[in-house]
Amino acid sequence: MRERFEGIVLFKRKHREHDALVKIFTAAYGTKMFFIKRLEKPNHPMGSQLIPLTMNEYIGTINQEGLSFLTEASTIQFNRLVQSDYTVQAYAAYISQLVDSVVDDNVPNLLVYELFKLALALLNEGKSPEIIATYIEIYLLKGFGVQLKWDACVICGAKQQPFDFSIRQHGVLCQQHFSEDEFRLHISPKAMYITSLLAQIKLEQVQTVNVSQETLAEIRRLMDEIYKEYVGIRLKSKSYLDQMLENDRKFIQILKRDKPTEE
Ligand SMILES: [Zn+2]
């Protein structure tokens, strides 16, 4: 039977010479793989609705297992900034791979779908991609089976900051209990403050705050440690993002070096 449904494109992959397989996160049926005939040929009628990170309405045949099929598509949200700004796109691609890793195929997951949709909308409005990606990473930890305590010290329950993060204790430590973990991560107080705040608010409450590059780098170090220690997945989009951040860092160093100094 033909169905009408909404979805966000996760990725597309060439199949045989002219066809493609497109994975779409649908609101009603979860993530599904679609077989698209002749998508690799120019001027495919659904070409712009099968671009990764766009949100569209589709008409097609949904199969519970195996491949599904599309007959028509219309754009709901093209997410122009996500498509055109390479930094925003790199973060959006990373978020999309995280989402794809955490949800089970062919099982509806409206909570994660709505979160993903909102994250893309905020990225497209120009909100900080670093902060949005961190929010999604924290939120999805539960889905990866990881429960962490962010709002109070895991030892005594104190909410008084500064906090630091302990991988061994699965959460934050207050200053009195820093000694409980000799391998605590020594994350800057400001980065800890922002991260524990993100763990406690809704995504719609995330505002664009002025966060320095140093603090963003600390937040990244914290999230990378958490994902490395507890989740242990390797995503291509994450390696790409890391490479991009590394290049940016080098570029900033060159700029600093070239700045005339008073001597
Ligand atoms: Zn404590």
Side-chain angles (χ1 to χ4, degrees):
M1 213 184 83
R2 296 213 310 171
E3 314 282 349
R4 180 186 288 269
F5 55 93
E6 173 189 314
I8 301 169
V9 181
L10 293 171
F11 64 81
K12 67 173 171 184
R13 185 161 74 212
K14 201 174 155 170
H15 182 70
R16 300 203 206 101
E17 200 174 346
H18 303 302
D19 308 331
L21 294 173
V22 180
K23 192 167 188 184
I24 300 176
F25 191 177
T26 72
Y29 313 102
T31 54
K32 293 246 154 224
M33 194 69 91
F34 292 85
F35 174 78
I36 314 289
K37 211 164 171 52
R38 302 169 72 81
L39 183 60
E40 297 296 321
K41 290 280 217 183
N43 303 320
H44 189 279
M46 290 187 280
S48 51
Q49 288 86 26
L50 294 170
I51 296 172
L53 308 170
T54 61
M55 182 171 66
N56 309 281
E57 188 180 71
Y58 302 99
I59 297 175
T61 310
I62 296 288
N63 292 318
Q64 187 45 39
E65 280 176 20
L67 298 171
S68 295
F69 302 90
L70 296 177
T71 49
E72 277 177 54
S74 59
T75 301
I76 298 175
Q77 181 63 262
F78 187 71
N79 293 321
R80 192 159 297 280
L81 184 66
V82 174
Q83 299 298 335
S84 59
D85 181 305
Y86 85 106
T87 304
V88 177
Q89 189 174 61
Y91 279 97
Y94 171 50
I95 290 172
S96 131
Q97 282 206 330
L98 270 184
V99 163
D100 192 17
S101 310
V102 86
V103 300
D104 293 325
D105 288 340
N106 306 313
V107 180
N109 191 332
L110 205 53
L111 266 178
V112 174
Y113 179 83
E114 289 295 335
L115 188 81
F116 182 35
K117 178 168 151 181
L118 181 59
L120 285 176
L122 294 174
L123 286 173
N124 201 51
E125 283 170 24
K127 293 261 164 64
S128 161
E130 296 90 343
I131 297 293
I132 292 166
T134 303
Y135 185 96
I136 300 294
E137 287 176 314
I138 296 171
Y139 185 94
L140 294 184
L141 280 170
K142 279 189 301 266
F144 286 115
V146 182
Q147 299 276 4
L148 301 176
K149 192 163 176 57
W150 291 99
D151 61 330
C153 174
V154 287
I155 307 292
C156 71
K159 296 196 169 189
Q160 184 64 43
Q161 302 212 15
F163 288 154
D164 193 4
F165 194 88
S166 166
I167 292 286
R168 196 167 66 189
Q169 302 283 359
H170 290 249
V172 301
L173 295 175
C174 77
Q175 210 167 6
Q176 304 300 319
H177 293 104
F178 280 179
S179 55
E180 292 291 323
D181 182 1
E182 58 177 317
F183 300 111
R184 67 190 172 91
L185 297 180
H186 294 271
I187 301 293
S188 80
K190 197 155 181 199
M192 281 307 304
Y193 172 78
I194 292 169
T195 317
S196 75
L197 184 68
L198 288 176
Q200 297 170 66
I201 63 174
K202 289 190 158 54
L203 182 55
E204 10 331 17
Q205 292 173 288
V206 172
Q207 295 298 326
T208 297
V209 276
N210 255 335
V211 183
S212 70
Q213 287 303 318
E214 286 79 5
T215 302
L216 288 176
E218 278 288 277
I219 294 174
R220 178 90 330 267
R221 180 164 77 84
L222 171 62
M223 294 317 299
D224 283 353
E225 284 291 339
I226 287 174
Y227 266 75
K228 191 181 84 189
E229 294 296 330
Y230 299 127
V231 181
I233 46 169
R234 279 176 176 278
L235 302 175
K236 221 160 77 177
S237 57
K238 181 61 168 61
S239 316
Y240 177 78
L241 190 59
D242 289 343
Q243 191 57 52
M244 195 187 74
L245 293 174
E246 181 59 25
N247 290 344
D248 285 354
R249 245 191 311 275
K250 280 184 195 151
F251 183 64
I252 289 166
Q253 277 166 2
I254 291 167
L255 286 183
K256 279 183 180 159
R257 209 184 311 143
D258 287 348
K259 216 162 60 183
T261 49
E262 295 162 60
E263 274 171 324

